[in-house]
């Protein structure tokens, strides 16, 4: 089975729609554009109609659904800033809830 990344198909549809005229120079409907759109939609529908036989793995499900591993939005945001700091010259973050990352963080970029 294959789970496609729909963003690629949406990008394809956007480029087709914006980059190709709806009508030809003669004022006729642009069937070439419609065929391109139909081709992209046909591919997506093919993936939707494929049956998936995926056996559940209880240990993995328990791990993913464990509430004790969940982080608050503030904790997630702070971790995000640690991994990928903001790119402005002066980035200031103000934590809104107490936790291990509650100190005021000021980063100077060069």
């Amino acid at each position: 089975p294959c789970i496609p990344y729909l963003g690629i198909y949406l990008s394809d549809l956007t480029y087709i729609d914006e980059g190709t005229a709806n009508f030809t120079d003669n004022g006729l409907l642009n069937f070439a554009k419609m065929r391109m759109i139909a081709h992209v939609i046909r591919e997506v529908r093919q993936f939707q109609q494929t049956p998936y036989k995926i056996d559940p793995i209880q240990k993995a499900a328990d791990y993913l659904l464990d509430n004790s591993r969940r982080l608050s939005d503030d904790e997630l945001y702070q971790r995000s800033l640690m991994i990928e700091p903001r790119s402005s010259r002066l980035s200031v973050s103000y934590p809104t809830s107490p936790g291990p990352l509650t100190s005021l963080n000021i980063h100077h970029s060069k």
Side-chain angles (χ1 to χ4, degrees), residues 20-35:
T20 311
N22 289 330
F23 297 95
T24 65
D25 294 337
N26 299 333
L28 302 173
L29 185 62
N30 188 347
F31 276 95
K33 176 180 180 175
M34 301 308 152
R35 277 191 222 95

Side-chain angles (χ1 to χ4, degrees), residues 69-95:
R69 302 187 58 80
R70 290 194 180 167
L71 300 174
S72 71
D73 287 344
D74 293 329
E75 291 169 318
L76 292 170
Y77 180 69
Q78 289 301 321
R79 288 187 181 197
S80 172
L81 288 176
M82 287 180 358
I83 294 168
E84 189 174 331
R86 298 183 74 158
S87 60
S88 65
R89 282 189 49 99
L90 179 63
S91 173
V92 180
S93 59
Y94 299 96

Side-chain angles (χ1 to χ4, degrees), residues 7-47:
I8 293 173
Y9 293 104
L10 294 175
S11 294
D12 289 349
L13 289 171
T14 300
Y15 290 130
I16 293 169
D17 184 51
E18 292 180 358
T20 311
N22 289 330
F23 297 95
T24 65
D25 294 337
N26 299 333
L28 302 173
L29 185 62
N30 188 347
F31 276 95
K33 176 180 180 175
M34 301 308 152
R35 277 191 222 95
M36 289 187 280
I37 292 172
H39 176 74
V40 173
I41 293 171
R42 193 175 304 117
E43 282 187 32
V44 173
R45 290 193 58 175
Q46 178 182 354
F47 287 120

Side-chain angles (χ1 to χ4, degrees), residues 53-61:
K53 172 92 170 78
I54 301 173
D55 296 325
I57 302 170
Q58 193 59 44
K59 189 174 181 179

